[in-house]
Amino acid sequence: MVEKGKIGGNRLHFAEIGSTNTYLKENGDKLPHGTAVLADRQTAGRGRLGRSWEDSGSDALKFSVLIKGLGTDKLPLLPAVTGVAVCSSLISLFGEGFLIKWPNDIVYNGKKICGILCESRVGQSSLQGSGGFAVCGIGINLSQPQSFFDSCQLPHAGSVETTTGVKPEAAVVYEEVIRYFEKDFNIFCREGFSPLLEEYKRRSATLGKEVLVLADSREQRGKALELGADGQLICLIDGQKVEITSGEASVRGLYGM
Ligand code: BT5
């Protein structure tokens, strides 16, 4: 059973912190399920696989949510659930055009607007009731100018403002993401991922596309077919179905591929 407590019901706000994900990984055992940790600035924001998340201060939204009591079997789909929630909230505020690029980016017109980092700290036996927990970190570029991304050598990054022309308010975006996260997370806990799958497919920038898969230091071209039951990307490569569990899948026409 997922523990009681509303998503974002307990909220900690830091002017500056290393990483909101790291904070929750270190302190999550003492905090209630649903705790949200926000930071105006991260000095050591993290992406997957040791990569960094570039931060320019309060013109971007950075926060992490603590998830307690979710079974280990459900963990692999947490990035997809988060992706659906973030994508829906951005569409609700700014209109169509936001898509989910497998596994964890939200893109708009080929620019990466948001990155999602889900991590877990497993307790003694499993996450369930054993002190383990998960952390969902969300970084959304709100109004940085393109010159900021250029200075970080991120030509494929963009902000909500540079891509849609609308200047977003951090508090409004935060509340909307939390609202969708609460809704979609509860659906996921009760009924699994299947009720969210249609929405995921509709919003996917990857499924049905030609992809360049980078896994085990090998690059292979293929077609992305579907999302597997554990969040893996099922691709058709040289006539064979191949499951991509980690690594990268670049989509033709996105990020300059
Ligand atoms: C991600 O990793 O995209 C996950 C980013 C998660 C950030 C949030 S912020 C709150 C919480 N606290 C943290 O410390 N992290 C989470 P990945 O798929 O590995 O992508 C990382 C790559 O995205 C980098 O190597 C860059 O190429 C690119 N990148 C870095 N900063 C970016 C930015 N601000 N906007 C767009 N792309 C960026």
Side-chain angles (χ1 to χ4, degrees):
M1 274 290 287
V2 167
E3 291 183 20
K4 284 198 167 42
K6 215 174 142 44
I7 298 290
N10 181 38
R11 183 157 117 182
L12 307 175
H13 194 149
F14 292 88
E16 187 171 292
I17 198 170
S19 150
T20 55
N21 261 44
T22 305
Y23 179 88
L24 275 181
K25 277 178 85 180
E26 288 171 356
N27 298 284
D29 49 352
K30 306 184 277 276
L31 292 164
H33 166 75
T35 295
V37 175
L38 294 89
D40 294 338
R41 178 181 290 276
Q42 289 188 129
T43 53
R46 296 187 290 108
R48 295 173 307 135
L49 312 166
R51 296 189 281 235
S52 59
W53 185 252
E54 302 296 341
D55 188 7
S56 55
S58 56
D59 48 10
L61 185 61
K62 285 89 47 183
F63 67 97
S64 303
V65 176
L66 179 64
I67 302 294
K68 287 192 158 175
L70 189 70
T72 40
D73 56 323
K74 283 203 152 76
L75 276 182
L77 280 165
L78 204 48
V81 174
T82 312
V84 169
V86 174
C87 196
S88 304
S89 61
L90 293 177
I91 288 169
S92 141
L93 290 171
F94 308 108
E96 292 289 333
F98 295 91
L99 296 171
I100 305 164
K101 178 187 168 289
W102 187 90
N104 65 334
D105 295 352
I106 304 294
V107 298
Y108 186 102
N109 268 351
K111 297 275 189 183
K112 178 165 174 173
I113 304 293
C114 164
I116 293 164
L117 176 65
C118 295
E119 301 181 287
S120 57
R121 217 187 71 181
V122 180
Q124 275 163 350
S125 51
S126 75
L127 272 187
Q128 201 122 5
S130 63
F133 54 80
V135 174
C136 284
I138 299 168
I140 305 177
N141 299 322
L142 297 178
S143 45
Q144 304 99 313
Q146 206 58 44
S147 57
F148 165 71
F149 300 114
D150 292 344
S151 70
C152 303
Q153 289 170 343
L154 294 172
H156 306 302
S159 64
V160 170
E161 189 172 348
T162 57
T163 53
T164 68
V166 181
K167 191 173 174 62
E169 258 188 64
V172 173
V173 178
Y174 169 79
E175 291 300 340
E176 195 70 344
V177 174
I178 289 289
R179 195 164 75 83
Y180 274 95
F181 192 97
E182 165 91 8
K183 175 178 83 59
D184 291 339
F185 180 72
N186 285 336
I187 292 174
F188 177 56
C189 290
R190 273 197 320 266
E191 302 165 54
F193 192 71
S194 31
L196 301 172
L197 186 59
E198 272 316 302
E199 186 68 9
Y200 182 93
K201 283 186 188 161
R202 215 148 58 89
R203 304 298 180 200
S204 177
T206 306
L207 297 181
K209 300 285 184 329
E210 202 184 303
V211 288
L212 183 66
V213 172
L214 225 177
D216 303 327
S217 326
R218 282 179 64 205
E219 273 191 2
Q220 290 172 295
R221 279 183 190 276
K223 186 174 178 190
L225 296 180
E226 55 186 312
L227 187 74
D230 287 324
Q232 70 276 43
L233 188 66
I234 301 176
C235 295
L236 191 67
I237 298 175
D238 293 336
Q240 303 272 343
K241 274 193 179 182
V242 179
E243 296 195 356
I244 313 295
T245 48
S246 63
E248 299 295 333
S250 309
V251 181
R252 195 183 186 110
L254 262 186
Y255 299 171
M257 184 194 153

